[in-house]
Amino acid sequence: MEKYDAFLLDLDGTVYRGKEEIPEAVAFVKTLKRKGLRYLFVTNNSTRTKEAVADQLSGFGIPCTPDDVLTTSMATASYIKAQKPDAKVLYIGEQGLKQAMEQADLHYEDRNPDYVAFGMDRQITYEKYSKACLAIRSGAKFVSTNPDVALPNEQGLVPGNGALTSVITVSTGVQPVFIGKPEPIIIELALQKIGTTKQRTLMIGDNYDTDIMAGINSGIDTLIVHTGVTSEEALRTKPIQPTYSLKSLSEWIFN
Amino acid sequence: MEKYDAFLLDLDGTVYRGKEEIPEAVAFVKTLKRKGLRYLFVTNNSTRTKEAVADQLSGFGIPCTPDDVLTTSMATASYIKAQKPDAKVLYIGEQGLKQAMEQADLHYEDRNPDYVAFGMDRQITYEKYSKACLAIRSGAKFVSTNPDVALPNEQGLVPGNGALTSVITVSTGVQPVFIGKPEPIIIELALQKIGTTKQRTLMIGDNYDTDIMAGINSGIDTLIVHTGVTSEEALRTKPIQPTYSLKSLSEWIFN
């Protein structure tokens, strides 16, 4: 019997790099599928819908349906839904967050909402920030999809959601609940979604500070692959090591 | 002889409140003018030009020309000009910052600028933030007009420039040099502008955390007026007290 029957996989740097798939990862997921092992793609990207993610992965030849995807936007909606099923939410973000809120039947409200849910928004405006600050000062709870401070684009590192979120944090003095990696919330929701236990689940990712720390913070085993952000040298400086460290997923040995 | 021959005055809460003048302050400034004492209005508002400020004060019956105004935008331009007279600057802000940069003959440049100068911008966009982060990661120095985290509007407290600035700070990990109150930089520039000494200058304002701390941080005497932000009760909790504390400027006794 395999030691793990469920695998949580990061996307960029783990199964693809930018617009190209990582062949070892494609083969790895195909093997999971063939062996009937469960898997879920867990991404801090809040802007895309689960359908958009599944389409991209399918295009790489990776077996994936929208049900195999958990975005931070979906996790944010689940988190709010569990706390207050009829919550009114001022959500600020892109299509992925809007769809997640609608599918969770959480209604948009910008005057006296119960929650402010903030996600990456490349159409951010001062007016949106103002509404969020006024709502939080009036008592709305503050949730943010993920704490990433920087994102790569063609020109370099541009602001991530954690940086955009800080306007509200600094202005109101209220810290948000972050949902995405490295926070444990998204991992707990991932385990619920696929119906597995911590003991039988492995978190796989390329980024120590987000993917691996999410696993460590959740008390599940972790596998780092050196196909993305964190190099072997950088990994050696970390006080807590992942359970496994591999150059690529072709090195993983199934029983 | 008067103990002070130069007076630095805050605006909102000190000489007016919102759209209404504070009569005791109007009378005070008229007395300064009549006695030939120097004064300068020192404001953390970076969005307005010195002409706009002077027009508003004149409308209240306060003797004021554009030369009697120092905005954080003007101070930011002076600061950069003193450091590098031919600096190329990526400036992000409203009309007040744009005019200050142009009048200091500091040219706009969004590719490899020497400085990023950030000020309050109610037309802020993700693209502007991205350009700022890329420039700072490429070595541009980072200056921000003022650290205020919140501003009052009709609905409540909305984000101030210190909050908007934090996107860049959090994303790049680079702290800006803040120019405005409570930083001493703007006070040093104010003293230069009116040609006075620390010993003979009094800083007057209603906000302990910005106006009074700016004076304290600069080593000049301070006068708090309880016509705006800081109440007498709040003032009693502060470890360092201002030199003078008055209910209004009508209580000031000239020799």
Side-chain angles (χ1 to χ4, degrees), chain A residues 147-192:
Chain A
D148 305 59
V149 298
L151 294 177
N153 78 1
E154 322 72 61
Q155 296 177 279
L157 289 170
V158 292
N161 186 59
L164 292 187
T165 299
S166 68
V167 171
I168 306 168
T169 313
V170 169
S171 191
T172 62
V174 176
Q175 294 288 332
V177 173
F178 282 114
I179 303 297
K181 299 174 283 183
E183 300 301 323
I185 295 174
I186 196 168
I187 303 298
E188 301 282 352
L189 290 166
L191 298 179
Q192 281 175 33

Side-chain angles (χ1 to χ4, degrees), chain B residues 148-166:
Chain B
D148 304 59
V149 298
L151 294 177
N153 78 1
E154 322 73 59
Q155 297 178 279
L157 290 170
V158 292
N161 186 59
L164 292 187
T165 300
S166 68

Side-chain angles (χ1 to χ4, degrees), chain A residues 1-239:
Chain A
M1 195 180 88
E2 300 290 338
K3 181 166 181 192
Y4 304 104
D5 58 19
F7 297 79
L8 308 181
L9 290 126
D10 171 56
L11 293 178
D12 203 359
T14 302
V15 303
Y16 59 78
R17 262 190 302 257
K19 296 195 190 316
E20 292 197 2
E21 73 271 27
I22 298 175
E24 296 90 335
V26 177
F28 178 82
V29 180
K30 284 180 176 170
T31 304
L32 295 181
K33 181 81 177 174
R34 200 178 60 241
K35 286 175 166 278
L37 297 166
R38 282 170 290 177
Y39 55 90
L40 186 64
F41 298 99
V42 178
T43 175
N44 269 10
N45 183 320
S46 68
T47 63
R48 295 197 295 167
T49 61
K50 58 189 176 184
E51 289 80 9
V53 173
D55 280 354
Q56 183 193 22
L57 296 185
S58 299
F60 292 146
I62 294 168
C64 181
T65 72
D67 279 350
D68 300 323
V69 176
L70 179 63
T71 70
T72 43
S73 286
M74 296 162 65
T76 299
S78 295
Y79 173 84
I80 294 172
K81 193 76 182 173
Q83 300 228 333
K84 188 169 166 56
D86 63 344
K88 306 284 188 195
V89 184
L90 167 53
Y91 48 87
I92 296 170
E94 299 190 16
Q95 186 56 27
L97 187 63
K98 183 168 186 284
Q99 189 209 56
M101 292 291 161
E102 286 171 356
Q103 291 187 342
D105 205 25
L106 291 166
H107 296 290
Y108 181 85
E109 172 61 58
D110 65 3
R111 303 253 165 187
N112 296 311
D114 302 302
Y115 284 82
V116 169
F118 192 91
M120 184 69 189
D121 186 351
R122 287 162 291 188
Q123 302 297 322
I124 189 65
T125 63
Y126 186 73
E127 192 190 357
K128 291 180 187 178
Y129 275 137
S130 294
K131 282 183 179 173
C133 288
L134 291 166
I136 290 165
R137 288 181 184 275
S138 295
K141 293 194 167 69
F142 181 21
V143 180
S144 179
T145 55
N146 60 299
D148 305 59
V149 298
L151 294 177
N153 78 1
E154 322 72 61
Q155 296 177 279
L157 289 170
V158 292
N161 186 59
L164 292 187
T165 299
S166 68
V167 171
I168 306 168
T169 313
V170 169
S171 191
T172 62
V174 176
Q175 294 288 332
V177 173
F178 282 114
I179 303 297
K181 299 174 283 183
E183 300 301 323
I185 295 174
I186 196 168
I187 303 298
E188 301 282 352
L189 290 166
L191 298 179
Q192 281 175 33
K193 185 172 166 73
I194 53 174
T196 183
T197 63
K198 290 189 178 187
Q199 291 70 32
R200 302 274 295 147
T201 303
L202 183 66
M203 173 73 214
I204 304 173
D206 68 300
N207 186 323
Y208 181 88
D209 295 328
T210 56
D211 304 319
I212 303 308
M213 281 310 299
I216 291 168
N217 289 335
S218 309
I220 70 173
D221 284 357
T222 54
L223 189 172
I224 196 165
V225 277
H226 297 296
T227 50
V229 169
T230 307
S231 67
E232 291 179 71
E233 295 70 39
L235 181 62
R236 278 195 285 273
T237 69
K238 305 293 183 183

